[in-house]
Amino acid sequence: MSDESQLQVRPKDSDSSLSLWRASSGLIARGLRDAAVLTEPPPLEPADPLSEIRRLAEEGDADAQYDLGDEYHDSGDLAEAAEWLRRADEQGHAGAENYLGALYCYGEGVTRDFTEAAKWFRKAAEQGYDLAQRNLGDAYNDGEGVPQDYAEAAGWFRMAAEQGDTDAQYKLGIAFGIGKGVPQDYAEAARWFRTAAKQGNTDHPDAAFVQYKLGLACQTGRGVPRDRDEAARWFRKAAEQGHADAQYNLGDACYYGHGVPQDYAEAVGWYHKAAEQEHVRGQHDLGYVYYYGQGVPQDYAEAVKWYRKAAEQGHAPAQQALGNAYYNGHGVPQDYAGAVTWYRKVAEQNHADAQFRLGYAYSHGRGVPQDYAEAVRWYSKAAGQGHAAGQNNLGTAYYCGQGVAQDCAEAVRWFGRAAERGNADAQLSLGYANYHGKGVPQDYAEAVSWFSKCASAGNAAGQYALGLAHYYGHGIAPDYVQAHMWVDLAASGSAGNDQKTYSSARETVAANMTPEQIAEARRLAQAWKPEPGQ
């Protein structure tokens, strides 16, 4: 014994020698046991790691037969896997029946046979096995091995969904969302999407999509109360898993402040993630924020890069934006022909603004030969879709007889349509048509009504026309103060020759006014503001 051992054994009275012996003999016995362990050979590994499972399987244990079949499947011996799964099936093992259905579905160890697969899925499904119920639903949904029957598919999906199968819950939600095999019911669709999403199974391949769809339901109020906060939360869950549509929608939520604080910088981040996954609207909107410097420094070249990516995917708004960039020389050298190329792509998709711009290019010879008839053709297409500027320019073509036979009455008809839509140029033109009696009977009062609408929008030419009407008392009582105010506003809001014309008219009006009237007119001009909505 070591000194330390002696110190630990403290003899007491007459039992001291016994205590010491017990301590010593215990140490000796332990040493002998340790030595024996060291000299024993290591236990032999079983020759067959599946021996215990095999023994139970051969004795007729259905679970063991299933497990043995699964082990053979994983090791690549598919024929042997099928054999053991059949033995489990003979005892009604639902898991084995579903497994056999999968083998027939994929042709693993057996000849591929969808009809046989559906037969096995049904055997397991009728025992309440949720995976088999979902698989049988898939078979009916796709018409594989059974006649295609969406109602039957939805019925099996429901059975599996009610047992907690997230894939079945998702598929049942889709069925209700689009009315496939069940009546369309957004509330029921949202309920199943929510049920699937709340299980938190983010490893499920459809989890992000379910969360995205639930976000859409909350955003639009289709089937659930409209709730932008809730929509943003579901979009974020899906976006963080890399779902491109959810990333884009979350970017929009951040851009507009819908359900989250407005934050252009965060919006840019989500647009970028979506754009990098070739999300076409994400690419367009990323181009937009770079073009206007929202959340990032303004960068026309970067804007053009993203516009081009979306445009090359056929996205009409991006093609239009790229055409504008070429037209204005923003991010690329100014190139009217290049602009026309992109405008034409969009115009041929029946996009009204592109049709108008293409008409304008032909009308002014920008990037194409000067061609009024072609201009009228494109203006007509835009005007027919209610494009106010297209309607106004088509009216001008008829009024001047450019590209079409002169027809003032037809011109007035198009001016009227555009004017009702708030187009200030059309309001001015309609005012002059009534003032001069071209296309309509002369009517100063009607002219003044349209001049007033135009002037109230801040249009300098309209303000000048209204000022002259007040000066001459045409369609309205003569009023030099009002005349001076409107002509003064026109002069202040224009440049070049127009400004010279308007300034000269202001001096003509002032020559007929007292100093007090001029001061009042100037005060009114300084206090004037465009009418809201004009």
Side-chain angles (χ1 to χ4, degrees), residues 20-79:
L20 181 60
W21 165 248
R22 286 175 177 168
S24 301
S25 61
L27 290 172
I28 293 169
R30 188 178 67 189
L32 292 172
R33 287 197 302 274
D34 292 344
V37 168
L38 291 174
T39 57
E40 287 178 1
L44 295 175
E45 291 292 330
D48 181 358
L50 299 180
S51 59
E52 182 61 18
I53 297 176
R54 185 184 303 279
R55 181 184 67 78
L56 292 171
E58 290 174 345
E59 290 176 359
D61 186 288
D63 287 333
Q65 291 167 342
Y66 173 89
D67 291 341
L68 189 57
D70 186 44
E71 291 289 347
Y72 274 117
H73 179 271
D74 290 345
S75 68
D77 192 339
L78 303 179

Side-chain angles (χ1 to χ4, degrees), residues 384-530:
Q385 295 192 67
H387 191 280
Q391 292 170 334
N392 174 68
N393 285 22
L394 183 58
T396 299
Y398 276 107
Y399 197 84
C400 301
Q402 293 179 329
V404 67
Q406 188 177 40
D407 186 336
C408 292
E410 186 69 4
V412 166
R413 187 170 75 88
W414 286 110
F415 287 149
R417 291 188 178 185
E420 292 293 347
R421 290 178 173 273
N423 184 278
D425 290 334
Q427 291 168 344
L428 178 65
S429 296
L430 193 56
Y432 275 122
N434 279 276
Y435 192 90
H436 295 293
K438 297 190 71 173
V440 289
Q442 188 178 51
D443 186 335
Y444 287 146
E446 184 70 7
V448 167
S449 173
W450 288 111
F451 289 153
S452 295
K453 291 180 184 292
C454 181
S456 297
N459 183 281
Q463 292 169 337
Y464 172 70
L466 182 59
L468 291 186
H470 277 290
Y471 181 75
Y472 291 112
H474 288 170
I476 196 168
D479 188 328
Y480 289 155
V481 171
Q482 285 292 312
H484 190 285
M485 181 197 79
W486 286 113
V487 175
D488 188 21
L489 286 170
S492 300
S494 57
N497 291 331
D498 286 342
Q499 186 181 54
K500 291 179 182 179
T501 299
Y502 302 156
S503 296
S504 176
R506 181 180 57 197
E507 298 308 314
T508 299
V509 175
N512 295 281
M513 300 171 66
T514 65
E516 292 77 15
Q517 289 176 318
I518 294 173
E520 175 64 7
R522 288 176 175 168
R523 183 189 69 77
L524 291 173
Q526 290 174 353
W528 178 86
K529 292 181 180 179

Side-chain angles (χ1 to χ4, degrees), residues 166 196-208 211 237-238 241:
T166 54
K198 281 189 174 178
Q199 292 194 62
N201 183 9
T202 56
D203 292 332
H204 190 280
D206 296 314
Q211 292 162 344
K237 286 179 181 290
Q241 295 177 65

Side-chain angles (χ1 to χ4, degrees), residues 69-125:
D70 186 44
E71 291 289 347
Y72 274 117
H73 179 271
D74 290 345
S75 68
D77 192 339
L78 303 179
E80 192 70 10
E83 175 59 28
W84 284 106
L85 290 170
R86 287 184 192 280
R87 292 193 189 186
D89 157 64
E90 290 171 358
Q91 300 186 66
H93 193 285
E97 292 164 348
N98 180 68
Y99 211 137
L100 281 165
L103 294 184
Y104 276 104
C105 194
Y106 294 103
E108 295 185 345
V110 293
T111 302
R112 191 177 193 185
D113 186 332
F114 288 128
T115 301
E116 192 71 8
K119 183 191 80 172
W120 289 108
F121 289 147
R122 187 182 300 278
K123 289 187 71 173

Side-chain angles (χ1 to χ4, degrees), residues 65-310:
Q65 291 167 342
Y66 173 89
D67 291 341
L68 189 57
D70 186 44
E71 291 289 347
Y72 274 117
H73 179 271
D74 290 345
S75 68
D77 192 339
L78 303 179
E80 192 70 10
E83 175 59 28
W84 284 106
L85 290 170
R86 287 184 192 280
R87 292 193 189 186
D89 157 64
E90 290 171 358
Q91 300 186 66
H93 193 285
E97 292 164 348
N98 180 68
Y99 211 137
L100 281 165
L103 294 184
Y104 276 104
C105 194
Y106 294 103
E108 295 185 345
V110 293
T111 302
R112 191 177 193 185
D113 186 332
F114 288 128
T115 301
E116 192 71 8
K119 183 191 80 172
W120 289 108
F121 289 147
R122 187 182 300 278
K123 289 187 71 173
E126 289 175 347
Q127 292 193 62
Y129 196 72
D130 59 342
L131 294 181
Q133 291 169 338
R134 186 233 296 164
N135 287 340
L136 187 56
D138 282 335
Y140 275 108
N141 190 67
D142 300 331
E144 293 184 340
V146 289
Q148 191 171 52
D149 187 331
Y150 295 135
E152 188 75 6
W156 289 109
F157 288 150
R158 184 187 291 276
M159 291 183 191
E162 288 173 347
Q163 294 194 67
D165 186 282
T166 54
D167 191 49
Q169 290 165 348
Y170 149 67
K171 290 175 178 177
L172 188 58
I174 289 291
F176 277 109
I178 62 178
K180 189 176 181 180
V182 290
Q184 189 176 51
D185 186 332
Y186 288 116
E188 193 70 1
R191 180 171 80 86
W192 286 111
F193 286 150
R194 190 185 297 274
T195 300
K198 281 189 174 178
Q199 292 194 62
N201 183 9
T202 56
D203 292 332
H204 190 280
D206 296 314
F209 182 75
V210 171
Q211 292 162 344
Y212 163 69
K213 295 294 285 187
L214 186 55
L216 283 184
C218 294
Q219 182 185 62
T220 59
R222 301 182 77 178
V224 294
R226 189 176 186 186
D227 188 334
R228 285 175 169 168
D229 291 356
E230 186 74 0
R233 282 193 286 272
W234 286 115
F235 286 147
R236 189 176 297 278
K237 286 179 181 290
E240 288 172 349
Q241 295 177 65
H243 193 281
D245 284 327
Q247 291 169 340
Y248 172 77
N249 281 33
L250 183 57
D252 257 7
C254 294
Y255 184 90
Y256 293 106
H258 290 168
V260 292
Q262 189 177 48
D263 187 332
Y264 288 147
E266 186 175 4
V268 170
W270 289 113
Y271 287 152
H272 212 289
K273 289 180 182 295
E276 288 174 340
Q277 296 194 65
E278 303 301 320
H279 191 283
V280 67
R281 287 180 295 164
Q283 292 170 337
H284 169 267
D285 287 11
L286 188 57
Y288 184 92
V289 293
Y290 273 110
Y291 195 90
Y292 292 100
Q294 295 178 322
V296 287
Q298 189 176 51
D299 187 333
Y300 289 140
E302 189 71 7
V304 165
K305 182 184 86 172
W306 290 108
Y307 280 151
R308 191 182 302 280
K309 286 180 180 290

